[in-house]
Amino acid sequence: MKRYIRPLIAGIMAVSMVLPLCACKKKSGKKTQKVSENDPYFNVEEHEIKLDLDTDKKVEYQSLNNPKIIGNSIVASYNINYEVPKELMAEMESLYSNINSMPSQEEVDAISEKMRAYYVTGLAFFNLQGELVSKIDTEQSDSIMQLKDDGNGNILVFLQRYDMYDPMAETKDILVTYSPEGEKIGEMEVAIDRSGGDYFWVENMEVMKDGQILLISYDKMVLIDKQGNQVGEIAMEGDGGGKVISVGDDYYLSSYSYESDHGESYLQKISLNPFKLEEEKKKSKFQYWNSSSNSNGKFYMLGSNGIMVMDPLSDKAEEYMNWDSTDVNYANLMNNSSFEVVSDDEVLFVWEKWYQEENGDWVTSTYVDRFTRADKNPNAGKTYIEMGTFGMPNSDFIDYVVEYNKTEGNKARMRLYDYSEGIDYSDGGDKALAEMSDKVYLDLLGGSGPDILLNFSGFSQFNSEEVLVDLNTYIDGSNGLNRDEYFDNIFRAFETKGKMFQIPICVDIQGLLGNKDMIGERTGWTYSEFTQIVEGLPEDVSVFEDMLHETLLEKLLSHAMGNLIDYAKKEVYFDGDEFKQILQIAKKYGVDKLPEEMGEVSTYEVYGDGMMEPMGSGNTPQDRMNEGMLALMNTYVYDIRMYAENTSICNGKCIYVGMPSPDGTGVSAAPMMTLAISAASNNKEEAWDFICRLYDEESQYKYTRSMNSVALNRKAFDRINEDVIKECEQQRKDYEEYAAQYGEDEMWRNSIPEITDEHKEGFKKLVESISTITASDMAVVSIIKEEAAAYFSGQQDIDTVCKNIQNRTANIVRER
């Protein structure tokens, strides 16, 4: 289930470790640029990797675990569960059903041997075309943890062996060597010192150039010599874990430490003799354990724009290949993949894809992709349409781009560039985000920016005719949309003075849940109305969940930015009463520190943006609402299930209300995916043709489901509602079967709402009530937060702070 905070920035945090904006080759962004025969292009040959299965048995579950490219082989451990015959299950149950006598060891061994045929584990060896070369069944007592090239072309396997019949027996650590064809070459027990405890989960393994082996767990690194003896160990600092990378003849530990509101990546040189970490900790922009590869004599990393060749010690990067130079869904390759760069013209990926079958089961398929550089670009002559993205698009959208680019007859080729790649979030990222958004803004004004913007709706400074086209002219044009088929009120909510510059594909509903008995029957309120109502609450009632002053300030600003900045006139209004009321509310109802930062035993869990969610029953926001101790709680609603769940709060007396705002509007649309067209683009018609295809019923259904959001197409909206209702009905059936066998589980039962026609109608009315959106201007907000801190701490009065903010933000807006 989603957290309360789902802004678009969350989608880019996963790729924040990658490349600095200044370090990578950027696209020229020139208009009407044609694909040249000499532009790089990589062909992709893809094969599915499959196990051979016993066709006489019914497969209940199968998986290839953490497949790795090792030399010319692909190696993975596997699990296969077959359906156990009823007769065998009955025999096993009978064996253990007599509580007066335990089965003998011989009986246990006999039944275990029979069951072994239905629960199979082992190692599988494939060639680079995905063909199975050999398969070795292993004992269920063996837990395979890591696979690595041993430096001699063989496969080194680290596993832990347990005594299944004696849980108190010591765990054994084993290293096994196999040939690329799966022939066992050798095995030795590793003498790891477990005096500090039996638990030692190996997260990474590195074979050093001298043949020694480095094993890395969450809390320590252990060095093993060629004979399997422990040479030494090093306690891990920071958040533990990490990855060892080689740079020339030296080795470095890449680690990460997260403290309070920021994190840092470090490199530390590893000394092997004596075994220790050098004291110097070099800060790094990159987290090297994320999708990286030491291969082809270099160090490579995956980013949202392509594969980069890295120099870890200098933090410099250059491009090996851009994702635009092939036709593949690179979102599939960014996670759960192993890759090796074979040469300057070839790279191999092994990756996994999860999907849901009709019966609801989640299964995975494994693929090997071979990229090879083409002599000529097959798309020569097509026009590039540049798309600038804020964060890597989701997998389904990239599929759409790939399909568009591969469709015969299309005269254009979509080319994506993620402007957020490389943003440093170690200090919160506000300044870097502001610089990024202003750079894109200036590029667009100068005519050198992208044709299309994806997911920039959170930056309100783009919303002017100088920068973007009014998409209403396309919606109402010959190749437009029938507004009656959509929630047109949401389209209208995205307008700025009657013009729509950024169009949403899907949205979430953002706002507050309020106790009607405390705040009255309403959908929204102005600042003065809000203040008047909450000041009348009993002293023991909290207004909001605990939020830092700056967090509450930013939330209030996201609903007011359109009133505080006039981008057409290049004017700001941060010295008036409206903004002062925002500051006063943020100061009075925000907090200086969150509970865990005050040294208290925390009953809270940080969930995203400086807010806290109480952990444990009896102390959640819902509990406090029900007890009459909390007047308002934040909410994001993205489907009918969430809507139905919220109706039970406060004994059905909860209402949806917007954040306090200048116009007293209700709940807002929080954009999950938006698109815009540059006013300077020479490819506007082609860009709109690409965009408008995302609004048919099937596309709206697909993308909204994949993003867990609210569809704008009414038919797709209704279909999704019916899907969610059926899912809840199935879950209730599953619960009833469970309860009949094992007894009632109140928490599980209460977590599945019964969705009624009243809920369906209420949810649709809530969507139809939306008339405003959330928006920001990171450069301006960064200044506001910086200056407002003095007001929150009592160092400056409100008039001085507002004057400073007015002067600084006015300069920013005028200079654009």
Side-chain angles (χ1 to χ4, degrees), residues 256-489:
Y256 187 79
S257 178
Y258 186 85
E259 297 179 3
S260 184
D261 60 347
H262 71 281
E264 296 281 0
S265 293
Y266 296 97
L267 284 177
Q268 279 181 279
K269 189 175 181 180
I270 301 172
S271 169
L272 298 181
N273 188 22
F275 182 52
K276 66 177 184 177
L277 281 174
E278 301 292 348
E279 291 186 7
E280 181 185 5
K281 294 177 71 174
K282 173 181 166 54
K283 286 187 179 181
S284 173
K285 291 186 176 71
F286 314 118
Q287 297 174 11
Y288 289 100
W289 60 87
N290 286 280
S291 303
S292 59
S293 174
N294 265 121
S295 52
N296 192 33
K298 301 175 184 177
F299 193 83
Y300 298 86
M301 282 185 66
L302 302 185
S304 55
N305 288 319
I307 306 175
M308 311 304 295
V309 184
M310 312 296 301
D311 180 356
L313 300 184
S314 67
D315 274 344
K316 292 182 179 178
E318 62 181 38
E319 187 176 278
Y320 168 79
M321 72 165 286
N322 196 290
W323 297 127
D324 294 331
S325 60
T326 188
D327 288 307
V328 71
N329 187 336
Y330 53 90
N332 293 329
L333 309 180
M334 294 293 290
N335 299 300
N336 301 317
S337 69
S338 167
F339 78 101
E340 297 287 321
V341 178
V342 179
S343 69
D344 291 344
D345 299 317
E346 182 179 354
V347 59
L348 292 167
F349 280 92
V350 175
W351 58 278
E352 299 169 286
K353 182 177 182 178
W354 286 89
Y355 60 94
Q356 194 170 19
E357 294 185 323
E358 290 184 3
N359 63 2
D361 291 342
W362 283 93
V363 295
T364 182
S365 295
T366 305
Y367 302 87
V368 55
D369 287 2
R370 180 172 177 257
F371 289 50
T372 53
R373 191 184 300 270
D375 294 332
K376 295 180 180 180
N377 193 312
N379 300 292
K382 290 186 175 182
T383 299
Y384 280 122
I385 297 180
E386 307 282 350
M387 180 184 295
T389 76
F390 178 51
M392 192 178 79
N394 82 342
S395 180
D396 283 337
F397 184 82
I398 296 175
D399 270 339
Y400 174 55
V401 172
V402 170
E403 181 182 352
Y404 177 90
N405 284 340
K406 292 172 70 174
T407 300
E408 292 186 13
N410 280 355
K411 296 180 180 180
R413 180 171 177 81
M414 199 63 59
R415 186 159 64 168
L416 278 59
Y417 182 80
D418 178 10
Y419 282 90
S420 74
E421 185 174 71
I423 288 178
D424 183 3
Y425 290 95
S426 61
D427 61 353
D430 285 354
K431 183 178 179 180
L433 282 170
E435 291 174 351
M436 179 276 296
S437 61
D438 280 348
K439 180 193 180 307
V440 180
Y441 177 87
L442 294 173
D443 283 350
L444 290 169
L445 278 181
S448 63
D451 298 280
I452 298 175
L453 289 183
L454 175 70
N455 289 341
F456 275 81
S457 63
F459 304 104
S460 53
Q461 70 262 38
F462 290 90
N463 296 333
S464 74
E465 289 184 283
E466 285 184 293
V467 183
L468 302 173
V469 302
D470 176 12
L471 294 173
N472 280 331
T473 61
Y474 289 93
I475 291 176
D476 297 324
S478 58
N479 186 29
L481 305 176
N482 181 351
R483 292 181 183 270
D484 292 339
E485 297 176 359
Y486 301 87
F487 290 105
D488 191 46
N489 60 295

Side-chain angles (χ1 to χ4, degrees), residues 30 107-108 145 177 203 292 355 425 434 447 456-457 524 568 607 636 657 665:
K30 294 179 181 178
E107 289 175 317
V108 170
M145 307 187 76
T177 304
E203 296 180 323
S292 59
Y355 60 94
Y425 290 95
F456 275 81
S457 63
Y607 60 81
Y636 266 77
V657 62
T665 50

Side-chain angles (χ1 to χ4, degrees), residues 73-113:
S73 300
I74 298 168
V75 188
S77 61
Y78 63 82
N79 298 84
I80 307 172
N81 293 353
Y82 295 105
E83 184 179 71
V84 179
K86 293 180 180 179
E87 298 80 6
L88 183 55
M89 286 295 293
E91 182 181 345
M92 185 180 70
E93 291 171 0
S94 174
L95 185 65
Y96 291 98
S97 62
N98 189 344
I99 61 175
N100 296 318
S101 64
M102 291 297 293
S104 66
Q105 187 63 55
E106 291 76 13
E107 289 175 317
V108 170
D109 289 343
I111 196 70
S112 297
E113 182 62 28

Side-chain angles (χ1 to χ4, degrees), residues 50-233:
K50 292 183 177 181
L51 292 166
D52 60 344
L53 303 170
D54 189 337
T55 56
D56 294 330
K57 299 173 183 174
K58 181 181 178 181
V59 177
E60 290 187 331
Y61 172 82
Q62 62 168 312
S63 68
L64 284 170
N65 309 312
N66 196 23
K68 293 286 182 68
I69 301 167
I70 301 178
N72 292 319
S73 300
I74 298 168
V75 188
S77 61
Y78 63 82
N79 298 84
I80 307 172
N81 293 353
Y82 295 105
E83 184 179 71
V84 179
K86 293 180 180 179
E87 298 80 6
L88 183 55
M89 286 295 293
E91 182 181 345
M92 185 180 70
E93 291 171 0
S94 174
L95 185 65
Y96 291 98
S97 62
N98 189 344
I99 61 175
N100 296 318
S101 64
M102 291 297 293
S104 66
Q105 187 63 55
E106 291 76 13
E107 289 175 317
V108 170
D109 289 343
I111 196 70
S112 297
E113 182 62 28
K114 292 179 181 179
M115 294 294 290
R116 179 73 177 85
Y118 297 91
Y119 296 95
V120 185
T121 62
L123 272 175
F125 298 79
F126 305 87
N127 61 26
L128 297 181
Q129 287 71 47
E131 298 168 335
L132 182 65
V133 175
S134 63
K135 185 161 63 76
I136 303 168
D137 289 348
T138 58
E139 295 298 324
Q140 290 183 334
S141 57
D142 288 350
S143 177
I144 296 171
M145 307 187 76
Q146 291 294 326
L147 308 169
K148 202 75 176 182
D149 188 330
D150 74 343
N152 299 309
N154 299 312
I155 292 96
L156 187 66
V157 179
F158 176 81
L159 59 88
Q160 291 185 333
R161 184 166 292 161
Y162 306 88
D163 189 330
M164 299 181 67
Y165 305 113
D166 183 2
M168 303 303 295
E170 183 178 347
T171 300
K172 295 181 180 180
D173 301 299
I174 309 292
L175 283 169
V176 187
T177 304
Y178 293 94
S179 72
E181 296 75 32
E183 179 184 351
K184 187 174 180 179
I185 296 174
E187 177 180 319
M188 66 177 178
E189 186 172 345
V190 179
I192 295 177
D193 181 6
R194 291 178 174 270
S195 57
D198 189 58
Y199 184 76
F200 183 66
W201 183 270
V202 177
E203 296 180 323
N204 283 298
M205 177 171 68
E206 189 71 26
V207 179
M208 320 305 275
K209 291 181 175 65
D210 63 1
Q212 295 188 100
I213 298 163
L214 191 58
L215 301 173
I216 307 168
S217 75
Y218 181 77
D219 58 354
K220 67 180 178 181
M221 290 193 298
V222 174
L223 185 64
I224 304 298
D225 65 18
K226 296 178 182 179
Q227 288 73 43
N229 300 309
Q230 179 171 321
V231 175
E233 70 175 58

